[in-house]
Amino acid sequence: MNLLDEEHFNVEIENGMKNGCLDLPFELQPETIAIQEAVKVILKGLGEDINREGIKKTPFRVAKALRQGTRGYKQKVKDFVQSALFPETGLDDGQAGGVGGLVVIRDLDHYSYCESCLLPFRVKCHIGYVPSGGRVLGLSKFSRVADVFAKRLQEPQRLAEEICSGLQHWVEPSGVAVVLQCSHPHFPGFVEATVTSGSGSFGDESSELWCEFLSLLKFKLRRDVSVKDWCPFVIENSSKEADLEMVSAVVSILKALGEDPSRKELVSTPTRFLKWMMKFQNVNFEMKLSRFDWKLKERRLSCETNIQFWSMCEHHLLPFYGVVHIGCYCADGPKALERSLVESVVNFYGFKLQVQESMTRQIAETLSPQVSGDIIVVAEAEHTCMISRGIEKFGSSTATVAVLGRFSSDLSVRTKFLESIQKTD
């Protein structure tokens, strides 16, 4: 197996070599093998064929993603901070020269894994600190320090406190303030939560220093969601018991990541994770769609846009989500393409282990016979596997297009539909 092109994991391997804790190639390490075997059990429990081409390498990809996404357990704040403290002249007790005055670092994007359900959640981190001792920390290191703690199984409040205490201990400023805006996936949207932590001169959140910090963040703190309500899978109750073999598989994953599955915050994590995964269980197509009326009519351009969907990347078992737009020329008659039917088809193909290209094609091929073969499907999605691992491209999105019938040969018709999408954004 060629790992030379896996540049992000090479960094981790090199760090492990320096620490003297890595003697085997990544794919042969016991932790990697344990996660791969566990993932195979989960895939089988979802009704998947682990030898299918699309998911044959999924166990290894998941192992790599999880170990990369929890690399913070093997990292130390001091390794990033000690060589990045720079002398800065100024007044220690004044507001000049960056020493004694407030420094704010905004909009640091990170991903972490929810310790309650193992789903990745997005973090936008803001840090304020007051330098002391005639020295400042290199700005890039704030993101490095935040990443040390984000790349662990976490919940928002503890993450904020660990970032704050880590900077306070190793940088020794007059004070540190941390604000985290966190977003947890939960179909059909997200649960949002904002948490804070302060130390030293930021110990009192009602102080003028906090007010100054928040004013420079240019947004108002919102605490609509209690941290106790943070993970939606903690709130939801389910009477259905999880498969014991699959639960044991998730427990082995937690152990391989260096966690203690008996820790009180993790005791119910395997069940919650499997509850999410079972939403993408392989099901029988005919049984799912037999109740719908497929007699779609009316010969004109009909558009259904911004149909929300969620799916699970079959390569990494990480969510991707977005919207689907559909255009078609329906057969003669008084009735156009019904949105409820389209939503059902989109959700059916979304709630599978998928790749976006296949999902787009499957939706088009399913609806095509009902609209005389003339159909266009555009799917726009954000992929957690592109954001929380590997290249970590925040803000990136992917669009896929499937065209059949008239839409495949008539540029003017395609253009008309694509222009209609732009007007709905």
Side-chain angles (χ1 to χ4, degrees):
M1 184 174 296
N2 183 12
L3 295 178
L4 294 179
D5 59 337
E6 306 294 340
E7 56 180 319
H8 283 269
F9 235 86
N10 282 345
V11 173
E12 182 175 340
I13 291 175
E14 290 173 5
N15 289 339
M17 293 289 286
K18 292 177 182 178
N19 295 330
C21 62
L22 194 60
D23 299 316
L24 295 171
F26 173 78
E27 66 270 24
L28 297 181
Q29 291 173 28
E31 297 84 355
T32 302
I33 294 173
I35 295 174
Q36 288 186 88
E37 293 304 312
V39 172
K40 290 177 183 178
V41 171
I42 294 171
L43 289 173
K44 290 178 181 178
L46 294 175
E48 292 287 348
D49 176 8
I50 61 173
N51 294 313
R52 178 166 67 83
E53 188 60 35
I55 61 175
K56 189 182 297 184
K57 296 182 180 179
T58 293
F60 177 76
R61 296 189 188 105
V62 173
K64 184 169 66 172
L66 283 174
R67 294 193 65 192
Q68 180 181 354
T70 55
R71 63 179 180 266
Y73 288 116
K74 297 181 179 180
Q75 295 177 328
K76 298 180 180 178
V77 172
K78 68 176 183 178
D79 293 336
F80 295 106
V81 169
Q82 285 184 330
S83 62
L85 291 170
F86 304 102
E88 176 68 21
T89 58
L91 302 176
D92 285 340
D93 57 352
Q95 305 295 317
V99 178
L102 176 61
V103 178
V104 178
I105 302 93
R106 297 181 292 228
D107 300 325
L108 301 175
D109 287 315
H110 293 277
Y111 254 89
S112 188
Y113 279 88
C114 174
E115 68 179 6
S116 297
C117 66
L118 293 186
L119 284 181
F121 65 92
R122 186 166 183 170
V123 180
K124 189 171 286 291
C125 176
H126 314 279
I127 300 173
Y129 86 114
V130 178
S132 66
R135 61 183 187 175
V136 295
L137 178 65
L139 296 180
S140 67
K141 303 307 177 184
F142 288 94
S143 186
R144 293 285 191 183
V145 171
D147 196 61
V148 168
F149 298 108
K151 292 298 186 288
R152 302 178 184 188
L153 301 187
Q154 282 287 9
E155 60 89 16
Q157 188 60 55
R158 188 174 72 244
L159 176 57
E161 291 170 357
E162 289 181 347
I163 294 171
C164 183
S165 62
L167 289 169
Q168 184 68 47
H169 179 77
W170 291 104
V171 180
E172 298 182 340
S174 295
V176 177
V178 175
V179 174
L180 302 182
Q181 295 172 287
C182 303
S183 180
H184 192 300
H186 185 228
F187 181 81
F190 296 84
V191 177
E192 310 284 347
T194 301
V195 295
T196 62
S197 182
S199 61
S201 54
F202 283 98
D204 181 6
E205 289 197 20
S206 63
S207 67
E208 292 183 0
L209 189 57
W210 260 100
C211 291
E212 182 180 348
F213 172 49
L214 294 176
S215 68
L216 289 170
L217 295 185
K218 300 179 181 180
F219 69 84
K220 292 184 179 180
L221 284 182
R222 294 181 57 186
R223 301 182 188 272
D224 300 339
V225 177
S226 166
V227 175
K228 293 182 180 179
D229 301 331
W230 159 247
C231 177
F233 295 97
V234 174
I235 305 170
E236 293 180 358
N237 293 317
S238 177
S239 58
K240 185 177 180 180
E241 293 185 3
D243 180 89
L244 292 180
E245 186 178 9
M246 295 175 73
V247 170
S248 297
V250 181
V251 169
S252 69
I253 290 176
L254 293 174
K255 291 179 180 178
L257 295 178
E259 267 290 359
D260 177 11
S262 64
R263 179 161 65 87
K264 66 177 182 178
E265 294 86 357
L266 297 178
V267 170
S268 298
T269 296
T271 303
R272 297 186 188 117
F273 174 69
L274 292 173
K275 181 180 179 181
W276 165 259
M277 290 300 301
M278 292 305 290
K279 295 178 184 290
F280 305 91
Q281 187 176 15
N282 203 351
V283 294
N284 183 278
F285 177 74
E286 295 296 329
M287 183 172 62
K288 290 288 288 187
L289 296 183
S290 59
R291 71 178 186 273
F292 295 118
D293 177 10
W294 293 92
K295 295 179 181 179
L296 307 176
K297 303 175 181 179
E298 193 170 327
R299 193 63 180 175
R300 64 179 177 80
L301 178 62
S302 177
C303 303
E304 293 293 345
T305 59
N306 294 314
I307 301 169
Q308 288 188 324
F309 79 90
W310 281 73
S311 193
M312 184 72 79
C313 170
E314 69 177 25
H315 295 158
H316 303 96
L317 299 189
L318 289 170
F320 66 95
Y321 47 85
V323 293
V324 170
H325 316 286
I326 297 176
C328 65
Y329 274 89
C330 297
D332 293 334
K335 202 172 184 181
L337 188 65
E338 292 183 357
R339 186 177 181 91
S340 61
L341 184 146
V342 176
E343 288 175 341
S344 298
V345 173
V346 169
N347 284 332
F348 173 76
Y349 284 112
F351 279 106
K352 290 178 177 292
L353 299 189
Q354 273 284 19
V355 292
Q356 185 176 331
E357 297 87 342
S358 294
M359 184 191 75
T360 309
R361 173 183 54 79
Q362 290 164 352
I363 293 171
E365 290 177 347
T366 299
L367 292 175
S368 173
Q370 318 307 324
V371 292
S372 302
D374 301 323
I375 192 166
I376 180 171
V377 178
V378 176
E380 299 179 289
E382 293 186 28
H383 288 251
T384 310
C385 60
M386 285 185 63
I387 303 171
S388 66
R389 54 163 295 281
I391 197 168
E392 296 189 7
K393 284 295 182 182
F394 287 87
S396 63
S397 62
T398 302
T400 50
V401 183
V403 291
L404 295 172
R406 183 175 175 181
F407 286 96
S408 63
S409 58
D410 192 332
L411 177 60
S412 63
V413 173
R414 289 203 306 274
T415 301
K416 183 178 180 181
F417 173 73
L418 295 174
E419 287 176 349
S420 71
I421 295 177
Q422 296 176 3
K423 294 177 182 178
T424 62
D425 289 344

